[in-house]
Amino acid sequence: VFKSSNQSMNFTFKKSERLSSKKVIEQLFDKKGRESNQSVFLYPFRVSYVTEDLGSQPLLLDNSGLGENAVDQSQIIQSPIPNPQILISVSKRFFKHAVDRNLIKRRTREAYRLNKHLLLQKPDSQIPTYLAFVYIAKTIEDYTKIEKSMKAIFKKMV
């Protein structure tokens, strides 16, 4: 229970944190041995993640020929790294009822929301850009097990 509304940590899960780009999802699950794709396995999850931006190419600024309207690259202020985008997947093969799949996704999302500060405390180069949580258990685990596993996964990530 928090008494102050001016907390430095933000325990929200906004729409911008959801991974919905089909192109990025395809590249995240690409089995072709992509070097940037990494994974961590800890029951009940297999987590695939990427620490670089797959969705866009780096922007090259060319100031030649712009004259006095040219922008000096040293004047560009780096914006803070946004929260990683996540995807939660639960197999329809093992959980036939949507109610069960949604329960697992809700528990996973809540565990992520309350513990993402552990992930964001890492150096900027180690914070993943995209995360995919694949629930691999064949039974519905309780929230405490999911949260404990989530914390361990965040500590295990490089």
Side-chain angles (χ1 to χ4, degrees), residues 44-84:
F45 295 108
R46 187 181 77 236
V47 181
S48 298
Y49 62 98
V50 177
T51 54
E52 63 188 39
D53 191 5
L54 293 176
S56 63
Q57 296 298 321
L59 181 64
L60 299 175
L61 297 176
D62 184 14
N63 292 338
S64 62
L66 294 178
E68 50 198 82
N69 294 333
V71 177
D72 183 17
Q73 289 186 349
S74 63
Q75 294 174 348
I76 298 174
I77 299 172
Q78 292 291 329
S79 62
I81 293 179
N83 288 335

Side-chain angles (χ1 to χ4, degrees), residues 8-132:
S8 62
M9 284 192 246
N10 192 2
F11 291 102
T12 60
F13 186 73
K14 297 181 178 175
K15 189 172 182 174
S16 62
E17 294 180 63
R18 294 175 192 261
L19 179 56
S20 58
S21 167
K22 290 183 181 181
K23 179 181 174 185
V24 174
I25 292 169
E26 185 179 302
Q27 290 177 344
L28 190 60
F29 288 106
D30 188 15
K31 302 279 188 200
K32 300 267 193 261
R34 181 179 284 275
E35 300 87 30
S36 60
N37 289 6
Q38 299 173 335
S39 66
V40 174
F41 175 79
L42 190 64
Y43 185 84
F45 295 108
R46 187 181 77 236
V47 181
S48 298
Y49 62 98
V50 177
T51 54
E52 63 188 39
D53 191 5
L54 293 176
S56 63
Q57 296 298 321
L59 181 64
L60 299 175
L61 297 176
D62 184 14
N63 292 338
S64 62
L66 294 178
E68 50 198 82
N69 294 333
V71 177
D72 183 17
Q73 289 186 349
S74 63
Q75 294 174 348
I76 298 174
I77 299 172
Q78 292 291 329
S79 62
I81 293 179
N83 288 335
Q85 290 187 333
I86 72 162
L87 167 98
I88 300 169
S89 173
V90 181
S91 175
K92 195 174 186 178
R93 173 191 235 175
F94 299 122
F95 300 99
K96 304 287 186 200
H97 302 287
V99 175
D100 296 334
R101 293 192 300 275
N102 292 339
L103 173 69
I104 294 166
K105 286 192 251 185
R106 273 196 312 273
R107 288 179 178 174
T108 305
R109 201 167 35 245
E110 183 70 0
Y112 172 79
R113 183 184 73 83
L114 293 176
N115 295 297
K116 69 180 172 182
H117 66 276
L118 299 172
L119 186 63
L120 298 175
Q121 289 173 351
K122 293 181 178 258
D124 289 348
S125 63
Q126 291 182 351
I127 296 176
T129 311
Y130 304 106
L131 285 155

